Amino acid sequence: MENKSSSNFLKNIVNEDLKLGKVDHIITRFPPEPNGYLHIGHAKSIILNFELADEFKGKTHLRFDDTNPVKEDTEYVESIKEDVSWLGYEWDNLFFASDYFEEMYERAVLLIKKGKAYVCDSTAEEIRRMRGSLTEVGQKSPYRDRSVEENLALFERMRQGEFKDGQKVLRAKIDMASPNINMRDPVLYRIAHATHHNTGDKWCIYPMYDFAHPLEDAIEGVTHSICTLEFEDHRPLYDWVIRECEMENVPHQYEFARLNITNMVMSKRKLKQLVDEKVVDGWDDPRMPTISGLRRRGYTAEAIRNFAREIGVAKADSVVDSKMLEHFIREDLKLKAPRTMAVLDPLKVLITNYPEDQVEMLEAENNPENPEMGNRQIPFSREIYIEQDDFMENPPPKYHRLFPGNEVRLKNAYFIKCNSIVKDESGKVIELHCTYDPETKSGSGFTGRKVKGTIHWVDASQAVPAEFRLYEPLILDQDEEDETSFLDHINPKSFEIVQGFVEPNIESSKPQDKFQFFRHGYFNVDPLSTKQKKLIFNRIVSLKSSFQLPK
């Protein structure tokens, strides 16, 4: 796969480290916590880590930071592996934090022996209160001066399961007056009597992320540990753990700005809330910014990779317009997706002068922008369906579609003229009676007269029923970080189902097949089509946008 990434500050750092001999090879890692599905923000990190290592002929590890058995599950592990592979990347090694639990325990024992860690009986709330604030220094724990021997004995008893959850923790002994709150005796281990997806019931104490993560990087020989900006204040603790645990390899942490996109939730915790409270239909709901949701909706890995490369890597947070992501899926599909016709809100048209029982096959291009995709044959007969909004009984000025007495072109077919209408008891128009001009067949070279409107249609005798799922942004408000109003900004119109018809040539379409439906946009066959034994299309994106890439 071609790496089209441009220069960025991380690439410059790696290049300089190699040039100066600080490292002789590059190892990066993508370290997801298996407590949810990955979203497009994770995709940016995946692309960055894999392509950075690939460019410098290095390696990338896929490593699961599975240190919290209460929230983790093998379902998430498998989904993450699938997402990384689908994006187009192959990891050099697959690791789990739980692979190193024994070594992490021994490193914690080393800290105790050095007088750098102690067992604390304070509750989580007491510890939080004693840590102070940005304007107040912390208060030392009353258990901070326990002897090395007592701490070793208590830590071993914690491991043996003698204490309840929350009864004791192991804390680092650093500096309760540090201006960096993360350095005020952070918790290194907590008790959790929970079955771990990888180690079962072997352990009942688990390392905290800030303790485990640097050790994992060091054990694996990671050279450049890349994370998002919220971990910048954690870097001194990262370095402290590496140094005081006397790790042979010394990785370095570098931070970059996380991905924020308008009208998208970019918090795994909030995404899980949407799933748990059934606001959405699972992690792969096409409205979700999860990789699985984007894939089900119809986004391609190529579009996501190109999007991530375009936004680049920065050190300052910013917000990306969601229309930029839409731009890249349009760009990716415009030469790949066959052009075909679908009617989402059908109105029947009877062509009164067309021979009864006659079906004519007409030729249509599959993609005018990509002639190599060839042509297809579409049926045409006396009865067709058009869109309801392609007809108005009393149209406004400059309305060029069908209305009584007006003539339009049927795409790839003939001119038709509306002569009369049929209404139901409520006065709604339910059928149009039209005549066609056989001299105006598309492609015949007819130049006798011109019409201003062209509309799409499907043949009623062979039209295939289909369900169309139309999407708008799930979140109306752009500031999804507002904790008090997160669920108040759900868009009630984010999902609509309509029933219509498609051309018969796509009746055998399979999940993930993609099409451009004339005037409606790009659509993807939903995996539910197989289960429900009917065609279900998700609209990926509309056809047009005013968005333009900055020059």
Side-chain angles (χ1 to χ4, degrees), residues 365-507:
E365 292 178 292
N366 285 325
N367 190 328
E369 293 188 64
N370 185 2
E372 292 183 4
M373 296 185 72
N375 297 337
R376 70 187 186 282
Q377 297 290 309
I378 53 177
F380 180 79
S381 65
R382 182 180 172 87
E383 292 186 3
I384 62 172
Y385 292 117
I386 67 168
E387 296 286 354
Q388 289 274 358
D389 62 7
D390 278 340
F391 170 81
M392 293 188 72
E393 186 176 4
N394 299 295
K398 297 184 180 181
Y399 181 83
H400 299 307
R401 302 175 199 172
L402 267 184
F403 55 87
N406 193 44
E407 191 175 40
V408 300
R409 174 182 288 283
L410 295 177
K411 186 170 177 62
N412 301 311
Y414 299 94
F415 290 9
I416 63 169
K417 181 178 181 179
C418 180
N419 301 306
S420 62
I421 59 178
V422 178
K423 298 182 179 181
D424 63 12
E425 295 178 355
S426 67
K428 179 183 177 181
V429 176
I430 58 172
E431 186 173 306
L432 305 181
H433 287 181
C434 299
T435 52
Y436 89 115
D437 183 345
E439 301 295 322
T440 60
K441 185 175 181 179
S442 182
S444 66
F446 174 78
T447 57
R449 62 183 183 282
K450 294 183 179 180
V451 292
K452 292 184 178 181
T454 298
I455 64 175
H456 64 280
W457 55 278
V458 291
D459 180 70
S461 67
Q462 298 186 47
V464 178
E467 177 175 301
F468 303 89
R469 300 185 171 197
L470 311 178
Y471 301 99
E472 292 184 7
L474 181 61
I475 302 296
L476 289 171
D477 189 76
Q478 293 188 3
D479 184 12
E480 62 96 359
E481 297 300 332
D482 185 351
E483 296 286 343
T484 61
S485 59
F486 163 56
L487 293 179
D488 294 335
H489 294 292
I490 300 298
N491 181 2
K493 297 180 180 179
S494 65
F495 177 39
E496 179 187 5
I497 294 178
V498 297
Q499 306 293 335
F501 299 97
V502 294
E503 292 181 24
N505 62 81
I506 61 174
E507 184 175 14

Side-chain angles (χ1 to χ4, degrees), residues 131-148:
R131 289 179 75 185
S133 66
L134 293 174
T135 57
E136 297 178 338
V137 299
Q139 299 175 349
K140 293 181 180 180
S141 165
Y143 309 99
R144 199 174 194 264
D145 296 325
R146 277 174 164 158
S147 68
V148 169

